[in-house]
Amino acid sequence: MIPLSQQHLGALLVLLSAAGFSTLAIFIKLAYGAGANTLTILTMRFVLASLCLWLLLRYLKISPRIPTKTAIKLCLMGALGYGTMSLAFAASLQYLPASLSEMLLFTYPTIVSVLSFLIGDEEFSWQKGASLAICLLGLFFILGVSFTGLSQVGILLGLSSAIVYSCYILIGNRVLKDVHALVATTYVSSAAGFAFAAYSITTGQLILTTLPLHGWLALAGTATFGTILGILGFFAGITKIGAANASIISTAEPVLTVLLSVLILGEALTLLQSLGGLLVIGSILLLQLCTNGSNVKDESLEIG
């Protein structure tokens, strides 16, 4: 069996993360259908995930103890970073079509690549530029974005979610060099869960007692696949291939979401969406074929 290089292993981990995140839209749609509201979904997503993660740490006998300063950074990443991004994205859906909100969020690979270059974390190359351009074109085809009757508030919220998520990724790229991926995921999920729980309880927007069994199963899906698998895979992969490469590979998420929508929800797949999916996959292959890992600084620093 041929051993995987750190570059390829990191890419596979991020693809696994994208597969996990791609289920979120499906489970959230099922949860909405069962009567849950946005705050209930976000709260239970992170609360259930954090409970499972703490139990997993105990079962695997991995110490959750980390330096106080690092713990504070991870908690801020969860409560302010991931929490704010999730809220901004959810709010943008009230003003924009889901496709346009998703498109705005997925401008974050471009933002991460540019910021990584500006702050000196990574070098920029023509391969990354070409991959980003192909990704954006593919996403445009996949999501079938319409630019008619746009809401300025919705656009601002959508772009805000992308900017916040980009900062979250760049900060995580530095913090995670000294922390086990599972421990980092636990702290981030716990902080996000605490923040959402506190807000939803104080505002009286937490709906639990009236949810049917299939609603709880949908919430469990957002926690296990859309949170634990998604965040853990991304955190483990980003330390091996860098923030910019990980962000580009993550654009496989909308492709997988569309495929799941077809298989589970019975939605139709158009020829243009199929072409867009091929473009996104092609951009990821281009990045892997042209990148040997030399453009990622501190690649030897790993977690896990």
Side-chain angles (χ1 to χ4, degrees):
M1 183 176 179
I2 301 175
L4 288 175
S5 67
Q6 291 300 297
Q7 179 72 23
H8 293 154
L9 177 58
L12 286 175
L13 287 169
V14 175
L15 279 174
L16 185 64
S17 163
F21 281 134
S22 69
T23 65
L24 260 180
I26 309 299
F27 285 122
I28 287 176
K29 197 164 187 176
L30 293 173
Y32 276 137
N37 60 22
T38 301
L39 275 177
T40 297
I41 293 172
L42 292 176
T43 299
M44 297 313 298
R45 172 192 175 190
F46 290 108
V47 168
L48 292 175
S50 60
L51 289 175
C52 292
L53 287 166
W54 282 110
L55 290 173
L56 187 58
L57 284 177
R58 184 179 180 84
Y59 176 77
L60 296 176
K61 297 181 179 179
I62 298 174
S63 175
R65 295 182 180 179
I66 55 177
T68 303
K69 184 180 293 186
T70 303
I72 292 173
K73 290 179 181 178
L74 289 172
C75 288
L76 289 175
M77 283 174 60
L80 298 181
Y82 210 89
T84 301
M85 182 276 289
S86 300
L87 272 178
F89 178 71
S92 71
L93 292 171
Q94 299 177 9
Y95 299 93
L96 299 173
S99 58
L100 184 52
S101 292
E102 188 87 355
M103 183 71 181
L104 290 171
L105 174 61
F106 272 86
T107 59
Y108 80 82
T110 303
I111 299 173
V112 169
S113 296
V114 173
L115 291 179
S116 295
F117 171 71
L118 292 177
I119 64 179
D121 274 6
E122 302 179 30
E123 296 177 1
F124 195 79
S125 63
W126 72 266
Q127 293 96 332
K128 285 185 181 179
S131 295
L132 283 170
I134 296 171
C135 274
L136 290 175
L137 180 61
L139 288 172
F140 184 88
F141 287 160
I142 291 169
L143 301 171
V145 179
S146 173
F147 294 95
T148 57
L150 298 181
S151 165
Q152 293 182 349
V153 175
I155 292 175
L156 181 61
L157 287 168
L159 288 176
S160 296
S161 68
I163 293 170
V164 172
Y165 194 43
S166 299
C167 295
Y168 163 87
I169 290 172
L170 290 172
I171 293 171
N173 189 38
R174 296 189 173 190
V175 175
L176 291 172
K177 289 181 170 66
D178 303 314
V179 188
H180 193 287
L182 187 57
V183 175
T185 306
T186 302
Y187 274 85
V188 168
S189 297
S190 299
F194 179 82
F196 280 121
Y199 183 77
S200 59
I201 292 173
T202 55
T203 57
Q205 299 185 61
L206 189 62
I207 302 172
L208 296 177
T209 57
T210 59
L211 281 182
L213 177 60
H214 66 276
W216 278 99
L217 291 175
L219 293 177
T222 66
T224 53
F225 296 100
T227 305
I228 297 176
L229 181 61
I231 298 178
L232 182 58
F234 191 84
F235 278 179
I238 196 176
T239 61
K240 301 180 186 301
I241 60 175
N245 289 350
S247 298
I248 294 172
I249 294 172
S250 290
T251 54
E253 179 187 331
V255 180
L256 297 172
T257 299
V258 169
L259 291 176
L260 287 175
S261 298
V262 172
L263 294 174
I264 298 176
L265 301 178
E267 297 181 1
L269 181 65
T270 66
L271 180 61
L272 205 57
Q273 286 176 319
S274 301
L275 175 60
L278 291 175
L279 286 173
V280 171
I281 293 171
S283 70
I284 294 173
L285 292 175
L286 173 64
L287 185 68
Q288 289 304 297
L289 289 173
C290 298
T291 304
N292 58 14
S294 61
N295 63 328
V296 180
K297 298 181 180 179
D298 298 319
E299 186 182 19
S300 61
L301 295 173
E302 300 172 17
I303 58 177

